[in-house]
Amino acid sequence: MKNSRLMILAILLLAGILITQLNQIPNLNKQLLQAKSTLKQAKTNQKQSQTIVSSPQSQQDHVSKSTKIVTSFVKTFSNQPTSSYPETLKGLASQRVINELTQTFAPSVTFSHKAHYDVPIVAIKNAWGSDLEYLVIAKSDAQSVAYTITYDTDEKQVTDMSRLTLKGAFDNEK
């Protein structure tokens, strides 16, 4: 009789442990999925880093192509009328950047016709990651204008820009 009570107690104890463990399975599945997602992201980041480090020529070519696109972008918006921005800048910049250019960033020249801008300086501020940051100076006979431009290599377009004030060597003092 005593053995049967011990057996029943042991069975109830084991059943309680089994039920507790079964209740934890969904929580453990969530943790497993989260860990797999984190591992996948870490592997992707490691692969990107290894690619950049192991093939600097590839990264340099990548940056060179992006620099040419940014230079073309600045020449295009600097030397086109503001009304043509939606057509001429499509594909080169995000819609938000095109809207900002149309409203606020268009170079202002006090002459009756728009001056021609050259782009003598396109300097890279940050060459790592999917967003490249540039410092660009556009220069005309009347003024020089500096911009910081963010180019997204995944989207292959300018995603952000801001106009800077120039002091010193690029001021056209006449």
Side-chain angles (χ1 to χ4, degrees), residues 121-158:
I121 296 177
V122 178
I124 190 150
K125 285 176 57 179
N126 179 8
W128 304 108
S130 67
D131 288 347
L132 303 176
E133 294 178 28
Y134 289 93
L135 172 64
V136 180
I137 296 179
K139 185 176 181 180
S140 75
D141 290 338
Q143 69 178 2
S144 296
V145 184
Y147 302 98
T148 56
I149 294 177
T150 302
Y151 180 80
D152 189 331
T153 57
D154 295 332
E155 294 181 25
K156 299 200 183 323
Q157 60 181 328
V158 173

Coordinates of all heavy atoms in Angstrom, one line a residue, residues 121-158:
I121 N 35.2 69.9 -56.2 CA 35.5 69.1 -55.1 C 34.4 68.2 -54.7 O 33.3 68.6 -54.5 CB 35.9 69.9 -53.9 CG1 37.2 70.7 -54.2 CG2 36.1 69.0 -52.7 CD1 37.6 71.6 -53.1
V122 N 34.7 66.8 -54.7 CA 33.8 65.8 -54.2 C 34.6 65.0 -53.3 O 35.4 64.2 -53.7 CB 33.1 65.0 -55.3 CG1 32.2 63.9 -54.7 CG2 32.4 65.8 -56.3
A123 N 34.5 65.2 -52.0 CA 35.3 64.5 -51.0 C 34.4 63.6 -50.2 O 33.3 63.9 -49.8 CB 35.9 65.6 -50.0
I124 N 34.9 62.4 -49.9 CA 34.2 61.4 -49.2 C 34.4 61.6 -47.7 O 35.6 61.7 -47.3 CB 34.5 60.0 -49.7 CG1 33.5 59.0 -49.1 CG2 35.9 59.6 -49.4 CD1 33.2 57.8 -49.9
K125 N 33.3 61.7 -46.9 CA 33.4 61.8 -45.5 C 33.4 60.4 -44.8 O 34.1 60.2 -43.8 CB 32.3 62.6 -44.9 CG 32.4 64.1 -45.2 CD 31.1 64.9 -44.7 CE 30.8 64.7 -43.3 NZ 29.7 65.5 -42.8
N126 N 32.6 59.5 -45.3 CA 32.5 58.2 -44.8 C 32.3 57.2 -45.9 O 31.4 57.2 -46.6 CB 31.3 58.2 -43.8 CG 31.1 56.8 -43.2 OD1 31.9 55.9 -43.3 ND2 30.0 56.6 -42.5
A127 N 33.3 56.3 -46.0 CA 33.3 55.3 -47.1 C 32.9 53.9 -46.6 O 32.9 53.0 -47.4 CB 34.6 55.2 -47.7
W128 N 32.4 53.7 -45.4 CA 32.1 52.4 -44.9 C 30.6 52.3 -44.7 O 29.9 53.2 -44.3 CB 32.8 52.1 -43.6 CG 34.3 52.3 -43.8 CD1 35.0 53.3 -43.3 CD2 35.2 51.5 -44.5 NE1 36.3 53.2 -43.6 CE2 36.4 52.0 -44.4 CE3 35.0 50.3 -45.2 CZ2 37.6 51.5 -45.0 CZ3 36.1 49.7 -45.8 CH2 37.4 50.3 -45.7
G129 N 30.1 51.1 -45.0 CA 28.7 50.9 -44.9 C 27.9 51.1 -46.2 O 28.5 51.3 -47.2
S130 N 26.6 51.0 -46.1 CA 25.8 51.1 -47.3 C 25.5 52.6 -47.6 O 25.1 52.9 -48.7 CB 24.5 50.3 -47.2 OG 23.7 50.9 -46.2
D131 N 25.7 53.5 -46.6 CA 25.5 54.9 -46.9 C 26.8 55.6 -46.9 O 27.5 55.6 -45.9 CB 24.6 55.5 -45.7 CG 23.2 55.1 -45.8 OD1 22.8 54.5 -46.8 OD2 22.5 55.3 -44.8
L132 N 27.1 56.2 -48.1 CA 28.4 56.9 -48.2 C 28.1 58.4 -48.0 O 27.0 58.9 -48.5 CB 29.0 56.7 -49.6 CG 29.2 55.2 -50.0 CD1 29.7 55.2 -51.5 CD2 30.3 54.6 -49.1
E133 N 28.9 59.1 -47.3 CA 28.7 60.5 -47.1 C 29.8 61.3 -47.8 O 30.9 61.0 -47.8 CB 28.8 60.8 -45.6 CG 27.7 60.2 -44.8 CD 27.8 60.4 -43.3 OE1 28.4 61.5 -42.9 OE2 27.4 59.6 -42.5
Y134 N 29.3 62.4 -48.5 CA 30.2 63.2 -49.3 C 30.1 64.7 -48.9 O 29.0 65.1 -48.4 CB 29.8 63.1 -50.8 CG 30.1 61.8 -51.4 CD1 29.1 60.8 -51.5 CD2 31.3 61.6 -52.0 CE1 29.4 59.6 -52.1 CE2 31.6 60.4 -52.6 CZ 30.7 59.4 -52.7 OH 30.9 58.2 -53.3
L135 N 31.2 65.4 -49.1 CA 31.2 66.8 -49.0 C 31.5 67.3 -50.4 O 32.4 66.9 -51.1 CB 32.3 67.3 -48.1 CG 32.6 68.8 -48.1 CD1 31.3 69.5 -47.5 CD2 33.8 69.2 -47.3
V136 N 30.5 68.1 -51.0 CA 30.6 68.5 -52.4 C 30.6 70.0 -52.4 O 29.8 70.7 -51.7 CB 29.4 68.0 -53.2 CG1 29.5 68.4 -54.6 CG2 29.4 66.4 -53.1
I137 N 31.5 70.6 -53.3 CA 31.5 72.0 -53.5 C 31.2 72.3 -54.9 O 31.8 71.8 -55.8 CB 32.8 72.7 -53.1 CG1 33.0 72.4 -51.6 CG2 32.9 74.1 -53.4 CD1 34.3 73.0 -51.0
A138 N 30.1 73.1 -55.2 CA 29.8 73.6 -56.5 C 30.2 75.0 -56.6 O 29.9 75.8 -55.7 CB 28.3 73.4 -56.8
K139 N 30.8 75.4 -57.7 CA 31.4 76.7 -57.8 C 31.0 77.4 -59.2 O 31.1 76.7 -60.2 CB 32.9 76.6 -57.7 CG 33.6 77.9 -57.7 CD 35.1 77.7 -57.5 CE 35.8 79.0 -57.5 NZ 37.2 78.9 -57.3
S140 N 30.6 78.6 -59.1 CA 30.3 79.4 -60.3 C 31.1 80.7 -60.2 O 31.9 80.8 -59.3 CB 28.8 79.7 -60.4 OG 28.5 80.8 -59.5
D141 N 31.0 81.5 -61.2 CA 31.7 82.8 -61.2 C 31.2 83.7 -60.0 O 32.0 84.5 -59.5 CB 31.5 83.5 -62.5 CG 32.3 82.8 -63.6 OD1 33.2 82.1 -63.3 OD2 31.9 83.0 -64.8
A142 N 30.0 83.5 -59.6 CA 29.4 84.4 -58.6 C 29.5 83.9 -57.2 O 29.6 84.6 -56.3 CB 27.9 84.6 -59.0
Q143 N 29.5 82.5 -57.0 CA 29.4 82.0 -55.7 C 29.9 80.6 -55.7 O 30.0 79.9 -56.7 CB 28.0 82.1 -55.1 CG 27.0 81.2 -55.7 CD 25.7 81.3 -55.1 OE1 25.5 82.1 -54.1 NE2 24.7 80.5 -55.5
S144 N 30.2 80.1 -54.5 CA 30.5 78.7 -54.2 C 29.5 78.2 -53.2 O 29.1 78.9 -52.3 CB 31.9 78.5 -53.7 OG 32.8 78.9 -54.7
V145 N 29.1 76.9 -53.4 CA 28.1 76.4 -52.5 C 28.6 75.0 -52.1 O 29.1 74.2 -52.9 CB 26.7 76.2 -53.2 CG1 25.7 75.7 -52.2 CG2 26.3 77.5 -53.8
A146 N 28.5 74.7 -50.8 CA 28.9 73.4 -50.2 C 27.7 72.6 -49.8 O 26.7 73.2 -49.2 CB 29.9 73.6 -49.1
Y147 N 27.7 71.3 -50.0 CA 26.7 70.4 -49.6 C 27.3 69.2 -48.9 O 28.4 68.7 -49.3 CB 25.9 69.9 -50.8 CG 25.3 71.0 -51.6 CD1 25.9 71.4 -52.8 CD2 24.0 71.5 -51.3 CE1 25.3 72.4 -53.6 CE2 23.5 72.5 -52.1 CZ 24.1 72.9 -53.2 OH 23.5 73.9 -54.0
T148 N 26.5 68.6 -47.9 CA 26.8 67.3 -47.5 C 25.7 66.4 -48.1 O 24.6 66.8 -48.0 CB 26.8 67.1 -45.9 OG1 25.6 67.6 -45.5 CG2 27.9 67.9 -45.3
I149 N 26.2 65.3 -48.7 CA 25.3 64.5 -49.4 C 25.5 63.0 -48.9 O 26.6 62.5 -48.8 CB 25.5 64.5 -50.9 CG1 25.2 65.9 -51.4 CG2 24.7 63.5 -51.7 CD1 25.5 66.2 -52.9
T150 N 24.3 62.4 -48.7 CA 24.4 60.9 -48.3 C 23.9 60.1 -49.5 O 22.8 60.4 -50.0 CB 23.5 60.7 -47.1 OG1 23.9 61.5 -46.0 CG2 23.5 59.2 -46.6
Y151 N 24.7 59.2 -49.9 CA 24.3 58.3 -51.1 C 24.1 56.9 -50.5 O 25.0 56.3 -49.9 CB 25.4 58.4 -52.1 CG 25.2 57.5 -53.3 CD1 24.3 58.0 -54.3 CD2 25.7 56.3 -53.4 CE1 24.0 57.2 -55.4 CE2 25.5 55.5 -54.6 CZ 24.6 55.9 -55.5 OH 24.4 55.2 -56.6
D152 N 23.0 56.4 -50.8 CA 22.7 55.0 -50.3 C 23.0 54.0 -51.5 O 22.4 54.1 -52.5 CB 21.2 54.9 -50.0 CG 20.8 53.6 -49.3 OD1 21.5 52.5 -49.6 OD2 19.9 53.5 -48.5
T153 N 24.0 53.2 -51.2 CA 24.5 52.3 -52.2 C 23.5 51.1 -52.5 O 23.6 50.5 -53.6 CB 25.9 51.7 -51.9 OG1 25.8 51.0 -50.6 CG2 26.9 52.8 -51.8
D154 N 22.6 50.8 -51.5 CA 21.6 49.8 -51.8 C 20.5 50.3 -52.7 O 20.1 49.6 -53.6 CB 21.0 49.4 -50.4 CG 22.0 48.7 -49.5 OD1 23.0 48.1 -50.1 OD2 21.9 48.7 -48.3
E155 N 20.1 51.5 -52.4 CA 19.0 52.1 -53.3 C 19.6 52.8 -54.5 O 18.9 53.1 -55.4 CB 18.2 53.2 -52.5 CG 17.4 52.6 -51.3 CD 16.6 53.6 -50.6 OE1 16.3 54.6 -51.1 OE2 16.4 53.3 -49.4
K156 N 20.9 53.0 -54.5 CA 21.6 53.7 -55.6 C 21.0 55.1 -55.9 O 20.8 55.4 -57.1 CB 21.6 52.8 -56.9 CG 22.3 51.5 -56.6 CD 22.8 50.8 -57.9 CE 23.4 49.5 -57.7 NZ 24.3 49.2 -56.7
Q157 N 20.9 55.8 -54.9 CA 20.4 57.2 -55.1 C 20.8 58.1 -53.8 O 21.1 57.5 -52.8 CB 18.9 57.3 -55.3 CG 18.0 56.7 -54.3 CD 16.6 56.8 -54.7 OE1 16.2 57.7 -55.4 NE2 15.8 55.8 -54.2
V158 N 20.7 59.4 -54.0 CA 21.0 60.3 -52.9 C 19.7 60.3 -52.0 O 18.6 60.5 -52.5 CB 21.2 61.7 -53.5 CG1 21.3 62.7 -52.4 CG2 22.5 61.7 -54.3

